[in-house]
Amino acid sequence: MANYETGIITKNRILEAFKELFYLKGYKKTTYVDVLKKTEINQGLITYYFKSKRAIAGAIHTELRTQIKTEVKNFFHRNNIEYDLRTATALEVIIYSRIKFEDENLKRFIYEISIEGIFVEYDIAAMKEFWDMHIKEYDLSISDSELRMIQVRNASLTWGITTKMIEGYLDISVDEYADLRVRLMYQ
């Protein structure tokens, strides 16, 4: 039992160190050496718990989105509002959009993982969960093949719009971006 608990603590230390360093230095400038100095652990433990820096960035991005989803559900519950999947999804997109575009460090992290293709890879996985919930909630008839096409389409559009907005190619507000994302998801 002690080894299991120690393993969980070590894994969390690694994740927290990467999270802090990605935030402060960015994805590209953060190295394993930085994390080793911060955590004082063996490098082998990083690859033992996480296959790669890419996987760690994906896990951190997924965790952020999961935290937002949980907070939105809690908001509905705390305020005795009947949970509606579409409304909750729209609120999640608005919150996530504001967070990622209004915090320069987070915006840099999102941009860097977008350029590396990590954003699309993990967004496709997140979209699977998103659509599974919608298929169940609204009794939709979507084949696995159609679902995969929808996931790729949405992840690619989100990646492209996010990247081009950060680069300054798209001159739209965060609210316009969030509205566009919600409309694309439900088309």
Side-chain angles (χ1 to χ4, degrees):
M1 184 66 105
N3 285 341
Y4 176 77
E5 289 173 4
T6 301
I8 296 294
I9 291 167
T10 301
K11 183 177 180 180
N12 287 337
R13 280 180 54 214
I14 293 167
L15 194 58
E16 289 303 313
F18 269 104
K19 194 183 305 181
E20 180 182 337
L21 291 166
F22 284 162
Y23 183 79
L24 295 173
K25 296 177 70 170
Y27 173 79
K28 288 186 177 203
K29 290 183 180 176
T30 297
T31 66
Y32 284 127
V33 172
D34 296 329
V35 174
L36 297 174
K37 285 179 185 175
K38 185 160 190 60
T39 60
E40 298 178 356
I41 61 165
N42 180 318
Q43 182 172 348
L45 290 173
I46 295 174
T47 53
Y48 174 77
Y49 290 110
F50 303 96
K51 293 185 184 342
S52 64
K53 181 176 159 183
R54 178 183 189 89
I56 295 167
I60 290 168
H61 184 250
T62 300
E63 180 183 288
L64 171 63
R65 294 184 61 173
T66 301
Q67 286 174 339
I68 292 168
K69 183 176 283 306
T70 301
E71 285 300 317
V72 168
K73 282 181 182 178
N74 290 341
F75 172 81
F76 277 79
H77 180 71
R78 274 191 317 271
N79 292 287
N80 296 315
I81 301 170
E82 184 178 340
Y83 184 83
D84 174 74
L85 187 56
R86 288 183 185 173
T87 304
T89 298
L91 189 54
E92 291 165 20
V93 169
I94 291 166
I95 292 167
Y96 175 67
S97 299
R98 287 185 178 166
I99 290 171
K100 82 177 170 187
F101 286 115
E102 293 174 1
D103 182 314
E104 289 301 317
N105 288 344
L106 186 56
K107 183 166 63 172
R108 180 190 60 229
F109 171 71
I110 297 294
Y111 181 73
E112 289 177 347
I113 67 171
S114 293
I115 296 302
E116 294 289 322
I118 299 165
F119 184 87
V120 171
E121 180 181 333
Y122 285 85
D123 206 44
I124 287 174
M127 290 306 290
K128 169 84 170 104
E129 180 184 337
F130 168 85
W131 281 109
D132 285 345
M133 288 188 307
H134 282 74
I135 288 167
K136 182 180 176 185
E137 177 75 19
Y138 301 111
D139 196 28
L140 301 173
S141 178
I142 298 175
S143 71
D144 287 342
S145 178
E146 289 172 315
L147 180 56
R148 285 191 296 276
M149 286 188 287
I150 291 167
Q151 289 170 254
V152 170
R153 175 194 154 238
N154 283 349
S156 299
L157 286 170
T158 299
W159 170 81
I161 293 166
T162 300
T163 303
K164 291 305 176 188
M165 188 171 164
I166 292 171
E167 290 174 350
Y169 180 78
L170 294 175
D171 187 23
I172 60 176
S173 71
V174 173
D175 289 338
E176 289 171 312
Y177 168 88
D179 181 60
L180 179 60
R181 288 252 353 253
V182 171
R183 283 189 287 126
L184 289 171
M185 286 169 32
Y186 285 107
Q187 276 183 340

